[in-house]
Amino acid sequence: MASAQSWSPEVDFGWLHNDNVTNSIRQQKDDSAATVSASLQQVRVLSRDWQGSLKLGADTEFWRDYSGLNLSQFSAGAGLRRKFGLGPYATKLDLSFEGFHQLADVSEWSGNGYRAEASLQKRFTPQWFGRLTADLKRLDAKRAVYSGTVGTLTIAADYDLTPAWRLSATAFYGEGDQLSWCRESFPEFIAKGPQWTDGIFGGDWFPYASEGNHRGASVSVARAIGDRSALTVGYDFTESRAPKDHLFRNHIVSFNFTHAF
């Protein structure tokens, strides 16, 4: 690799509220979390059409009521970009792969995983920018119920209202393993024997995994603050469906402050 740039650090501080952190079909519990993430990235120009990148990252979340949901991840990855054409309107293909180690307050939720992603991006006008992304994520946790593989396809569009304001929208569909929590006292689990409880929600709540699909959409508004900082307000809606017509929904509101050094 040639023409290496210096490492570029970035930090993000956020807050989010999820109205169904149990991912339950009944007795949904809500909670809020503070989030912090940091990354270091280096881009290397390989040729006129190719770029490579290296990235190190760390992120964590602190939940207000249910601290057992707290997760932290440390990751390292590499990416490759192919540019088709010249100028800002050239189509770009990004390929990336990263491995990560997850630490959880519930030790059985800790483990190792990977994330692979392919993204096709294009700017259509000075205001409109679109991208199509496919990603695959795998986690191997200490306890099988927390392990799983999920694949997701996302289509997104950004519109720059002004040089400082950006409106973004996404729609996504995915399939794979889903983690939910249920209670032994729910009718479908009565007389099936005791389940392993992780203590996150207390009482007789226990985690279980199932294969299913999820779909949803999100919108956000970002305001640039100078050349290196931005504030973002977002709303996400996800609907997940598992076997036996189990259906649960998540509404998430988030606020983020991002700064690049």
Side-chain angles (χ1 to χ4, degrees):
M1 290 186 178
S3 302
Q5 298 179 2
S6 60
W7 288 95
S8 301
E10 182 177 288
V11 294
D12 182 279
F13 301 93
W15 174 91
L16 64 87
H17 178 80
N18 187 338
D19 73 335
N20 186 12
V21 291
T22 52
N23 289 339
S24 178
I25 59 175
R26 62 175 76 92
Q27 293 189 19
Q28 295 90 343
K29 294 182 179 291
D30 68 301
D31 201 2
S32 300
T35 63
V36 181
S37 65
S39 65
L40 282 172
Q41 185 171 16
Q42 186 181 78
V43 176
R44 296 172 178 259
V45 178
L46 307 178
S47 69
R48 188 191 70 175
D49 298 323
W50 290 93
Q51 287 183 356
S53 63
L54 302 172
K55 186 175 182 179
L56 303 174
D59 60 82
T60 188
E61 51 192 47
F62 304 93
W63 291 89
R64 182 186 63 187
D65 296 327
Y66 303 108
S67 60
L69 294 171
N70 293 350
L71 299 175
S72 298
Q73 286 189 0
F74 303 90
S75 61
L80 192 63
R81 167 173 284 187
R82 172 68 161 95
K83 186 177 181 181
F84 299 91
L86 299 174
Y89 296 98
T91 301
K92 303 177 182 68
L93 174 64
D94 284 320
L95 304 174
S96 64
F97 181 88
E98 69 173 23
F100 64 86
H101 177 67
Q102 177 168 290
L103 294 174
D105 278 17
V106 177
S107 60
E108 290 87 348
W109 204 348
S110 300
N112 299 310
Y114 66 83
R115 183 183 292 105
E117 182 177 287
S119 180
L120 195 63
Q121 309 176 30
K122 183 172 179 60
R123 180 170 292 281
F124 299 100
T125 72
Q127 291 78 34
W128 284 101
F129 179 82
R131 57 193 179 277
L132 179 66
T133 303
D135 69 82
L136 182 70
K137 181 181 179 181
R138 171 69 189 178
L139 171 66
D140 290 303
K142 294 180 180 179
R143 185 173 285 267
V145 68
Y146 297 113
S147 301
T149 305
V150 178
T152 306
L153 183 66
T154 303
I155 184 170
D158 298 332
Y159 180 73
D160 294 329
L161 299 167
T162 70
W165 289 91
R166 169 171 290 182
L167 178 65
S168 302
T170 66
F172 54 87
Y173 175 83
E175 295 186 350
D177 299 297
Q178 298 179 154
L179 176 63
S180 303
W181 282 264
C182 195
R183 299 188 63 183
E184 292 181 1
S185 55
F186 287 169
E188 58 266 40
F189 292 101
I190 291 178
K192 288 191 175 181
Q195 305 288 333
W196 179 79
T197 58
D198 55 17
I200 294 178
F201 301 106
D204 61 349
W205 285 90
F206 66 91
Y208 72 98
S210 58
E211 292 187 10
N213 60 70
H214 63 276
R215 68 201 72 194
S218 66
V219 292
S220 65
V221 178
R223 172 67 163 90
I225 305 173
D227 296 332
R228 296 179 176 270
S229 302
L231 284 173
T232 305
V233 179
Y235 167 76
D236 297 69
F237 169 76
T238 303
E239 180 181 273
S240 303
R241 188 180 299 273
K244 299 181 180 179
D245 294 325
H246 285 185
L247 180 69
F248 55 88
R249 298 179 174 91
N250 296 83
H251 300 265
I252 301 174
V253 178
S254 61
F255 299 88
N256 292 84
F257 171 75
T258 307
H259 180 74
F261 296 90

